[in-house]
Amino acid sequence: MRKLSWIVASVALIACAGYLFVYIYRWEWHRALLVGILFLATLVGLCTGLVLRRLSAVAHRAPTRDDHPPAALERLRAAPVESRPFPWLRPPSRSRSLDGAHIFIPVLLGGGFLVSGIAWAIERVAGSSARSGVEEQLAADLEGIAFPTTPLVPTDAELLACGDDYADDAALRVLLGPASSGSYR
Amino acid sequence: MKRAVVGLLAAALAVVGVLLLRAELMTVEVPQPAGSYTDVVVRASTVREDPAVTEEMTRGLVSTCRLLVDADVVEDTFLPLGGTDFGFRLRPGLDEFERRELRGCLSDLRVQHLLLDVRRLTTITPAAEIGPDA
């Protein structure tokens, strides 16, 4: 019965898609709209059925050992054991030669750390001493290309106010500033 | 491999379908010669409607569909041809693309309970009417 439902739904979907194409091909838009709605409804129903089937299959499947990832403890136990960390710090064994090379790496690491610290301090001091002068110089350079304090073009209202009717109004000219004299930059 | 074949087949079908639709739904205006006209004959059938209103419903549908094409129904040419057949004439004549559009509109389910079957839809030009021998 379930299989029959899937077959019927699939056939309906294919038929709707076919008729949709045919009706559009024939310029029969109303029929195409109706069949398109049916096509969408069938598609949504079919997809919903597929999702529900997959969910029910997952829900009904008995949990097995392989379903979950191994726990942290199991991973730790499975990992290779490092039983002897930092072997160069240990005193040389009898089999190794007594050349003192085991102490070289810690000294190198410590030296690198110290040199890095000194370089960081120098960079900080240099940056703090140079920043103020550089910023002042940059501000002075940017001054030349800064936007003017007055607008580049007069606004519509200013143009209207400077019209013929008010052209000789001294008080208005003072109020408008550069707009009244046309002294824009 | 099987999925790829099915996908390729579906893609090819889609491309062919789009190309077919593009060719069929093209709305290019082809100028028709002066004096041309289009004769249309339809057969109407109604469902759960009084047969007396069939003509009125058909006139309404024709008036609606006429708006889609660049032609007018010639006055007094909408005539019952016997039974449930009706005929009318459009001027100027419709080109190929407009004929497709008009046929689709008339056959569509625009008016409830009314179904038209387009029996004839022909554009006649003066040269064709006179004949090649004239």
Side-chain angles (χ1 to χ4, degrees):
Chain A
M1 187 64 189
R2 187 172 291 179
K3 197 171 182 178
L4 184 66
S5 304
W6 283 110
I7 291 171
V8 168
S10 303
V11 169
L13 186 73
I14 294 168
C16 285
Y19 271 105
L20 180 64
F21 177 83
V22 168
Y23 286 146
I24 292 175
Y25 187 83
R26 290 183 184 170
W27 288 81
E28 296 176 354
W29 300 114
H30 281 69
R31 295 186 195 222
L33 278 174
L34 289 173
V35 177
I37 291 169
L38 276 177
F39 174 75
L40 280 180
T42 314
L43 191 66
V44 169
L46 210 57
C47 290
T48 308
L50 278 173
V51 171
L52 288 178
R53 188 176 73 169
R54 181 63 61 91
L55 282 177
S56 66
V58 169
H60 286 95
R61 197 178 65 181
T64 61
R65 187 181 173 81
D66 298 333
D67 280 347
H68 57 85
L73 184 60
E74 294 174 13
R75 290 183 183 218
L76 286 174
R77 285 177 178 168
V81 178
E82 182 63 48
S83 58
R84 304 173 71 181
F86 306 111
W88 60 85
L89 292 177
R90 289 194 305 276
S93 61
R94 288 180 185 175
S95 60
R96 295 176 64 182
S97 61
L98 298 174
D99 55 358
H102 61 280
I103 203 67
F104 178 70
I105 292 175
V107 168
L108 194 64
L109 288 174
F113 181 77
L114 278 177
V115 171
S116 299
I118 293 167
W120 177 80
I122 290 172
E123 189 270 335
R124 296 288 292 181
V125 170
S128 61
S129 62
R131 184 162 299 154
S132 59
V134 168
E135 286 176 349
E136 287 171 4
Q137 182 63 37
L138 182 62
D141 291 344
L142 290 176
E143 197 65 37
I145 60 169
F147 280 109
T149 54
T150 57
L152 292 173
V153 293
T155 63
D156 292 341
E158 287 171 344
L159 285 174
L160 184 64
C162 293
D164 295 337
D165 296 342
Y166 308 100
D168 53 349
D169 192 338
L172 181 62
R173 199 173 298 120
V174 171
L175 181 65
L176 291 175
S180 61
S181 59
S183 61
Y184 284 95
R185 292 167 61 182
Chain B
M1 184 62 187
K2 192 179 173 183
R3 280 190 179 185
V5 170
V6 171
L8 277 177
L9 196 65
L13 272 176
V15 169
V16 170
V18 168
L19 289 178
L20 276 175
L21 285 181
R22 179 182 172 276
E24 191 64 22
L25 301 181
M26 201 177 283
T27 52
V28 179
E29 200 162 311
V30 181
Q32 294 296 301
S36 64
Y37 57 89
T38 299
D39 279 340
V40 185
V41 176
V42 295
R43 176 166 291 173
S45 56
T46 53
V47 180
R48 296 194 299 275
E49 289 289 347
D50 185 0
V53 297
T54 303
E55 182 178 344
E56 188 182 349
M57 294 171 76
T58 307
R59 278 180 184 273
L61 182 57
V62 169
S63 298
T64 304
C65 293
R66 197 271 304 167
L67 297 174
L68 298 178
V69 296
D70 193 16
D72 294 325
V73 178
V74 180
E75 195 174 357
D76 297 332
T77 58
F78 188 95
L79 299 169
L81 303 176
T84 57
D85 288 1
F86 300 95
F88 57 94
R89 177 169 292 178
L90 292 163
R91 266 188 205 282
L94 305 180
D95 58 33
E96 180 189 352
F97 306 103
E98 285 180 325
R99 285 201 298 274
R100 291 178 192 167
E101 197 169 355
L102 182 69
R103 182 186 291 274
C105 178
L106 290 172
S107 308
D108 205 354
L109 299 173
R110 283 181 179 259
V111 176
Q112 217 170 11
H113 301 165
L114 174 68
L115 192 62
L116 288 190
D117 179 23
V118 180
R119 314 288 289 185
R120 183 182 173 210
L121 202 154
T122 316
T123 295
I124 297 159
T125 57
E129 194 176 28
I130 294 168
D133 299 332

